[in-house]
């Protein structure tokens, strides 16, 4: 035996020596079924037949009084010893008492029962067994005494009362049973106890007594269940007026607790059975208006079924609208700040046409003010106010209420709510002003727009106010508004342009020119190119070409942008063009002058881009293309070759690119322009030229063969 095979936990034994060898499973070679099949039933029957008989002790026969006395003494001693050991075990006491009863020694049996009750009188089982023994042996007074003691000591055990009453009723003692019921009722039992008393009286056709018990019942238990039972009792006895009175009293006395779908459904079904369909419909509608929406699902189902069975098309549509209203109520209750749900809810109510409902939903919706002072939260909320005002004006057609909504409910309250220092909504001011204009109250409209400009000035407010005054022909007011506009936004080129355009339309040339001069003198402008273009177009329109040239020169002093050069050159190329027929010599002379002036601008631009901004090669190439087109447009006068000598060559090149962390990221291709004046300074120019010619010859071999 090697040391490697030995296991330390097994001493000097190996695992192979300690393995348990199981018998090898027998392999079934023949798997065909046997000719005689044995069922499970046969196996069980055979096992039962072979089972040995149970060994029972022999029966003892007592032949004389002495043996009986010995037997009783021995059994009593066994029971007493057992009781001493397990005094708390109720089953031992019961067996002891029942044994004494079997011996017809009732005095001893009662003694055992009394001793057991002294140990644990709270055990209802002892009382029940004790009383049953007395009743079984026809000791009625003893049984009555036991029941009386039991219900006195344990008045909350309903079973004791039931058994006591049942015994009295079985004996025919109706008055005694009623007396027991009265004792029980004084303890105010649950619904089942009252129901048992009522059924007892009904068994003896005591309807008035049952009704009086119901009155005490609903006073003791003022619940929906009690009132419904009372109403069903009256309905069963044919007292329809009394039953209806029960439902009405229940709703009145229960108050808020009575607003439960169970009560209203029962009331409506009662009216339905009485063929009072309108009453039932009113009950359903009243319930739907007063019960919280989350607690009225069953009520809605019942109402829909009722309308489908007894209602017309309009009633069914009302039910469907009510169901959707319930859904919207649930949604707005979950998230009152989701204004999309409020919009859907309002559209639903507007489709119904109930003005009071619509106004109520609007008021509830606008009461949910956005919590944060951010414009994105207020945008949907503002449209609630707008829709409210428009509804009152267009749908309700109540102008006084519309004005009240705008001034008291909507606009003024809303404008107090909006944090104008952070943001504002021009639409609110404009809609209020437009409403007053539609009502021909121009003074109020001007007051609203003036307050808007003073509180939260915006471009839209100024534009709309100016447009209104312009339509009314109040030029001085328009000028004042433009001045206020420009005081608030001096960098707004649109305002400057529109102000100058107004003066142009009025024929005030000097005013318009002065406004343009003030505008271009501003230190900062949002879109200066539009302002300069408007000023230049104005001077061109007036035919002031010298002023236009001066404006271009002043503009070039500020910026040397390519578009400015091209615009200046195109202006010079088109100055003096008109449709009048002129002599050819005069026309040729004018063309030469326009060409020379335009060419001069192009040359200045090209020289500037070549010397002051040599890196702007693409802009220089674009300038040459425009220049070439201009020379070509002057047929017979222009010199295209002058520009062609300056045109660059377009070549494709590669350059290294780097990532954000300055590591190499490869190469990219780009187009570069090589101008003729730069060719001499470039290295290996002749080699590049020869390579270019070789590539062109390779691309067109047919030309070389020719």
């Amino acid at each position: 035996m090697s040391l490697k095979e030995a296991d330390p936990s097994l001493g000097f034994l190996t695992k192979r020596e300690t393995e348990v060898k199981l018998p090898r499973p027998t392999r079934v070679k023949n798997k065909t079924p046997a000719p005689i099949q044995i069922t499970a039933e046969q196996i069980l029957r055979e096992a039962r037949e072979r089972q040995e008989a149970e060994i029972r002790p022999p029966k003892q026969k007592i032949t004389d009084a002495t043996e009986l006395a010995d037997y009783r003494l021995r059994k009593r001693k066994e029971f007493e010893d057992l009781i001493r050991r397990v005094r708390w075990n109720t089953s031992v006491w019961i067996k002891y008492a029942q044994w004494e009863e079997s011996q017809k020694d009732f005095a001893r049996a009662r003694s055992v029962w009394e001793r057991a009750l002294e140990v644990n009188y709270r055990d209802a089982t002892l009382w029940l067994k004790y009383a049953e023994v007395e009743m079984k042996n026809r000791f009625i007074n003893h049984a009555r005494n036991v029941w009386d003691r039991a219900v006195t000591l344990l008045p909350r055990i309903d079973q004791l009362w039931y058994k006591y009453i049942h015994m009295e009723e079985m004996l025919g003692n109706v008055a005694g049973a009623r007396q027991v019921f009265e004792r029980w009722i004084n303890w105010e039992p649950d619904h089942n106890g009252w129901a048992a008393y009522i059924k007892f009286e009904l068994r003896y056709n005591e309807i008035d007594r049952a009704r009086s018990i119901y009155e005490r019942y609903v006073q003791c238990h003022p619940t929906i269940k009690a009132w419904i039972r009372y109403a069903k009792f009256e309905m069963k006895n044919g007292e329809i007026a009394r039953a209806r009175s029960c439902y009405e009293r229940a709703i009145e006395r229960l108050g808020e607790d009575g607003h439960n779908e169970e009560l209203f459904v029962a009331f409506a079904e009662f009216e339905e059975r009485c063929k009072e369909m309108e009453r039932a419909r009113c009950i359903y509608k009243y319930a739907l208006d007063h019960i919280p929406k989350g607690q009225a699902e069953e009520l809605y189902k019942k109402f829909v079924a009722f309308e489908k069975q007894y209602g017309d098309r309009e009633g069914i549509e009302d039910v469907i609208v009510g169901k959707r209203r319930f859904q919207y109520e649930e949604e707005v209750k979950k998230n009152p700040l989701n204004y999309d749900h409020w919009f859907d809810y309002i559209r639903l109510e507007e489709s119904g046409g109930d003005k009071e409902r619509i106004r109520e939903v609007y008021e509830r919706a606008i009461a949910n003010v956005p919590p944060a002072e951010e414009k994105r939260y207020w945008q949907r909320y503002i449209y609630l106010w707008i829709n409210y005002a428009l509804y009152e004006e267009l749908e309700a057609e109540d102008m006084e209420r519309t004005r009240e909504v705008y001034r008291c409910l909507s606009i003024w309250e809303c404008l107090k709510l909006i944090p104008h220092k952070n943001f504002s909504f021009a639409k609110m001011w404009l809609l209020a002003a437009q409403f007053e204009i539609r009502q021909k109250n121009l003074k109020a409209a001007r007051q609203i727009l003036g307050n808007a400009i003073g509180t939260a000035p915006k471009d839209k407010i100024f534009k709309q106010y100016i447009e209104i005054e312009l339509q009314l022909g109040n030029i001085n007011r328009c000028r004042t508004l433009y001045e206020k506009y420009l005081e608030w936004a001096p960098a707004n080129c649109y305002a400057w342009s529109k102000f100058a355009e107004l003066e142009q339309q009025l024929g005030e040339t000097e005013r318009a020119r002065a406004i343009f001069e003030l505008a271009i003198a501003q230190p900062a402008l949002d879109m200066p190119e539009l302002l300069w273009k408007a000023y230049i177009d104005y001077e061109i329109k007036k035919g002031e070409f010298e002023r236009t040239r001066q404006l271009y020169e002043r503009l070039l002093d500020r910026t040397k942008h390519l578009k400015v050069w091209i615009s200046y050159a195109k202006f010079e190329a088109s100055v003096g063009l008109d449709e009048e027929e002129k002599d050819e010599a005069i026309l040729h002379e004018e063309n030469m002058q326009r060409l020379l002036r335009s060419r001069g601008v192009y040359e200045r631009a090209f020289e500037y881009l070549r010397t002051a901004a040599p890196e702007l090669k693409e802009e220089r190439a674009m300038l040459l293309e425009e220049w070439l087109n201009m020379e070509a447009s002057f047929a017979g006068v222009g010199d295209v070759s002058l520009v062609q000598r300056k045109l660059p060559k377009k070549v494709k090149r590669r350059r290294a690119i780097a990532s954000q962390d300055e590591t190499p990221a490869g190469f990219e291709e780009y187009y570069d322009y090589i101008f003729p004046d730069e060719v001499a300074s470039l290295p290996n120019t002749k080699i590049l030229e020869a390579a270019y010619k070789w590539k062109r010859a390779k691309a067109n071999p047919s030309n070389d063969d020719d």
Side-chain angles (χ1 to χ4, degrees):
M1 180 178 65
S2 63
L3 294 174
K4 293 181 179 180
E5 296 179 355
D7 190 349
S9 62
L10 300 174
F12 293 100
L13 298 176
T14 62
K15 289 184 178 180
R16 183 181 298 175
E17 293 173 343
T18 57
E19 285 179 355
V20 178
K21 294 182 179 181
L22 298 175
R24 189 173 181 179
T26 306
R27 183 175 297 177
V28 180
K29 296 181 179 180
N30 187 5
K31 296 183 180 181
T32 58
I36 300 175
Q37 296 292 322
I38 300 174
T39 62
E41 184 182 358
Q42 291 173 342
I43 296 173
L44 292 174
R45 191 186 302 117
E46 184 179 354
R48 186 174 181 80
E49 289 173 355
R50 294 185 180 184
Q51 188 175 5
E52 295 180 358
E54 183 180 357
I55 300 173
R56 295 181 181 180
K59 291 183 179 180
Q60 295 180 355
K61 291 184 179 181
I62 300 174
T63 57
D64 56 7
T66 305
E67 289 182 3
L68 179 61
D70 291 340
Y71 166 72
R72 288 177 175 175
L73 180 63
R74 186 171 64 254
K75 289 294 288 185
R76 287 188 182 113
K77 187 176 183 304
E78 290 176 1
F79 277 120
E80 291 294 339
D81 292 341
L82 189 58
I83 286 171
R84 277 195 295 272
R85 289 199 303 271
V86 286
R87 181 181 178 83
W88 47 268
N89 195 332
T90 306
S91 62
V92 174
W93 289 102
I94 293 173
K95 288 178 181 179
Y96 191 6
Q98 289 176 346
W99 181 83
E100 292 289 358
E101 179 199 355
S102 66
Q103 299 300 312
K104 303 300 180 181
D105 194 344
F106 297 110
R108 284 182 179 274
R110 290 191 188 99
S111 176
V112 174
W113 287 115
E114 294 296 335
R115 288 167 61 195
L117 290 173
E118 287 180 4
V119 174
N120 185 12
Y121 75 92
R122 294 181 182 274
D123 192 345
T125 306
L126 284 175
W127 291 103
L128 291 171
K129 296 288 185 181
Y130 189 6
E132 285 176 1
V133 168
E134 298 290 1
M135 289 191 297
K136 184 170 64 174
N137 294 284
R138 299 181 181 278
F139 297 113
I140 304 302
N141 289 330
H142 282 285
R144 189 175 283 126
N145 183 28
V146 172
W147 287 124
D148 191 67
R149 290 164 59 200
V151 297
T152 303
L153 293 172
L154 302 173
R156 294 300 178 188
I157 307 299
D158 294 344
Q159 192 177 8
L160 298 175
W161 292 102
Y162 286 129
K163 291 286 187 179
Y164 191 6
I165 293 165
H166 179 67
M167 183 192 77
E168 296 291 355
E169 193 173 1
M170 292 296 291
L171 293 172
N173 187 8
V174 178
R178 186 176 289 119
Q179 186 178 3
V180 176
F181 265 121
E182 289 295 332
R183 288 176 59 192
W184 189 15
I185 293 305
N186 291 333
W187 286 97
E188 296 184 355
D190 60 1
H191 297 278
N192 295 329
W194 289 94
Y197 193 7
I198 292 166
K199 289 179 181 178
F200 167 77
E201 296 293 354
L202 291 177
R203 281 197 295 272
Y204 298 100
N205 292 324
E206 296 289 346
I207 305 299
D208 293 333
R209 285 182 179 272
R211 185 174 289 117
S212 64
I213 295 168
Y214 265 118
E215 289 291 340
R216 294 162 61 191
Y217 176 28
V218 295
Q219 290 178 5
C220 178
H221 295 286
T223 60
I224 294 172
K225 183 178 180 180
W227 283 104
I228 291 176
R229 284 183 174 182
Y230 191 6
K232 287 182 178 179
F233 160 76
E234 296 291 0
M235 180 65 182
K236 187 176 180 181
N237 289 287
E239 299 288 344
I240 296 176
R242 288 179 181 271
R244 185 177 289 117
S245 175
C246 287
Y247 284 115
E248 292 171 354
R249 287 165 58 197
I251 295 171
E252 181 182 352
R253 293 188 182 182
L254 294 177
E256 292 294 329
D257 295 335
H259 290 168
N260 186 284
E261 66 175 355
E262 183 183 0
L263 178 60
F264 285 107
V265 166
F267 194 3
E269 288 178 347
F270 159 75
E271 296 292 355
E272 187 177 345
R273 285 192 294 270
C274 296
K275 307 300 181 183
E276 296 286 349
M277 302 309 169
E278 288 302 320
R279 282 179 176 270
R281 185 175 286 107
C282 292
I283 292 167
Y284 276 124
K285 291 182 178 180
Y286 177 84
L288 292 174
D289 291 338
H290 290 80
I291 294 178
K293 307 305 177 185
Q295 303 173 9
E297 293 183 6
E298 187 65 26
L299 187 65
Y300 271 111
K301 292 179 182 178
K302 294 285 186 181
F303 190 23
V304 171
F306 172 81
E307 288 294 346
K308 286 181 179 179
Q309 186 174 0
Y310 301 106
D312 52 5
R313 180 177 178 181
E314 184 178 353
I316 295 172
E317 289 179 355
D318 289 342
V319 174
I320 295 171
V321 170
K323 189 173 183 180
R324 290 176 60 192
R325 185 182 292 120
F326 166 73
Q327 294 172 353
Y328 288 135
E329 284 289 345
E330 290 297 316
E331 289 174 353
V332 298
K333 188 182 294 183
K334 290 178 184 177
N335 186 7
L337 296 178
N338 190 338
Y339 301 115
D340 290 333
H341 291 159
W342 285 110
F343 282 119
D344 294 338
Y345 195 2
I346 290 167
R347 278 195 292 270
L348 174 67
E349 295 297 348
E350 287 180 351
S351 66
D354 190 342
K355 294 181 181 180
E356 295 303 321
R357 275 187 177 275
I358 296 169
R359 286 167 180 158
E360 179 191 354
V361 177
Y362 269 119
E363 293 294 337
R364 289 172 57 197
I366 61 179
N368 298 291
V369 181
E373 294 185 359
E374 295 185 24
K375 191 168 184 177
R376 60 193 179 96
Y377 296 123
W378 286 74
Q379 286 174 342
R380 299 292 289 166
Y381 174 72
I382 290 301
Y383 276 96
L384 287 172
W385 292 92
I386 293 173
N387 289 356
Y388 192 10
L390 293 178
Y391 165 76
E392 292 292 350
E393 181 183 0
L394 302 177
E395 299 295 333
E397 297 182 355
D398 189 345
M399 300 307 163
E400 289 301 322
R401 188 172 179 85
T402 305
R403 185 174 284 109
E404 191 69 21
V405 170
Y406 268 119
R407 292 182 177 178
C408 302
L409 298 177
S410 181
I411 293 300
W412 302 120
E413 292 297 325
C414 184
L415 295 179
K416 291 175 186 177
L417 291 173
I418 298 175
H420 293 291
K421 294 181 180 179
N422 300 334
F423 57 86
S424 182
F425 293 93
K427 186 181 289 291
M428 298 295 298
W429 301 97
L430 296 177
L431 286 172
Q434 288 168 0
F435 167 75
E436 295 296 347
I437 291 171
R438 287 193 294 274
Q439 303 305 312
K440 300 180 180 180
N441 191 351
L442 189 59
K443 182 179 179 181
R446 283 175 175 156
Q447 184 180 1
I448 291 171
L449 292 173
N451 290 334
I453 291 173
T455 306
K458 296 193 76 175
D459 289 333
K460 288 183 180 179
I461 297 174
F462 278 110
K463 292 175 184 177
Q464 190 70 24
Y465 197 0
I466 291 168
E467 184 180 351
I468 291 171
E469 296 295 351
L470 191 60
Q471 290 175 353
L472 295 172
N474 296 322
I475 305 302
N476 290 330
R477 283 184 178 273
C478 291
R479 286 173 176 156
T480 304
L481 288 172
Y482 271 120
E483 290 173 3
K484 296 288 184 183
Y485 193 1
L486 293 171
E487 285 179 10
W488 173 67
N492 193 329
C493 292
Y494 173 84
W496 288 106
S497 301
K498 286 295 181 181
F499 193 7
E501 184 181 340
L502 173 66
E503 298 296 348
Q504 292 176 39
Q505 293 173 353
L506 296 173
E508 297 287 348
T509 305
E510 294 303 322
R511 277 180 174 272
R513 191 172 284 125
I515 291 169
F516 275 123
E517 289 294 333
L518 283 173
I520 62 176
Q522 296 299 316
L525 293 170
D526 56 358
M527 299 179 71
E529 65 277 5
L530 296 181
L531 186 64
W532 280 94
K533 185 179 184 303
Y535 194 4
I536 290 170
D537 291 344
Y538 171 69
E539 294 294 356
I540 293 173
K541 184 178 179 182
K542 289 294 182 181
E544 298 288 344
F545 300 127
E546 286 301 323
R547 286 183 176 274
T548 306
R549 291 189 182 96
Q550 292 174 8
L551 284 175
Y552 271 118
E553 293 296 336
R554 289 165 64 187
L555 181 56
L556 287 172
D557 290 340
R558 296 194 178 192
T559 178
K560 297 292 194 300
H561 197 274
L562 175 64
K563 290 185 178 181
V564 178
W565 289 108
I566 293 175
S567 177
Y568 190 7
K570 286 183 177 180
F571 160 72
E572 292 293 1
S574 61
V575 167
L577 285 177
D578 49 25
E579 297 180 356
E580 296 180 2
E581 294 184 0
K582 297 181 180 179
D583 187 73
E584 290 185 3
I586 298 174
L587 185 59
H588 183 272
E589 184 64 26
E590 288 182 354
N591 286 341
M592 283 298 299
Q593 290 178 2
R594 286 188 283 108
L595 175 61
L596 292 175
R597 284 196 296 268
S598 179
R599 186 182 293 164
V601 174
Y602 277 119
E603 288 176 348
R604 286 172 57 193
F606 182 76
E607 187 64 22
Y608 167 77
L609 292 174
R610 187 179 66 83
T611 57
E615 70 279 359
L616 302 177
K617 292 185 177 183
E618 189 173 358
E619 284 77 0
R620 208 188 323 171
M622 293 172 62
L623 179 70
L624 289 174
E625 288 180 5
E626 292 290 338
W627 189 1
L628 183 63
N629 294 335
M630 187 274 296
E631 294 287 351
S633 64
F634 285 89
V637 180
D639 187 1
V640 178
S641 62
L642 180 65
V643 183
Q644 288 178 342
R645 290 196 297 268
K646 299 180 180 182
L647 290 175
K649 291 181 181 179
K650 189 176 180 182
V651 295
K652 186 186 291 186
R653 292 186 175 179
R654 296 174 65 197
R655 60 188 171 192
I657 57 174
S659 59
Q660 294 181 352
D661 55 354
E662 302 299 331
T663 58
F667 294 87
E668 67 174 358
E669 292 184 348
Y670 72 99
Y671 287 98
D672 194 10
Y673 295 92
I674 301 175
F675 290 87
D677 56 349
E678 298 175 351
V679 172
S681 61
L682 290 174
N684 302 324
T685 307
K686 292 183 179 180
I687 296 174
L688 291 173
E689 236 178 80
Y692 178 72
K693 288 181 180 180
W694 174 79
K695 185 177 180 182
R696 188 172 56 181
K698 187 176 180 181
N700 299 318
S702 58
N703 295 339
D704 296 342
D705 296 340
D706 294 341

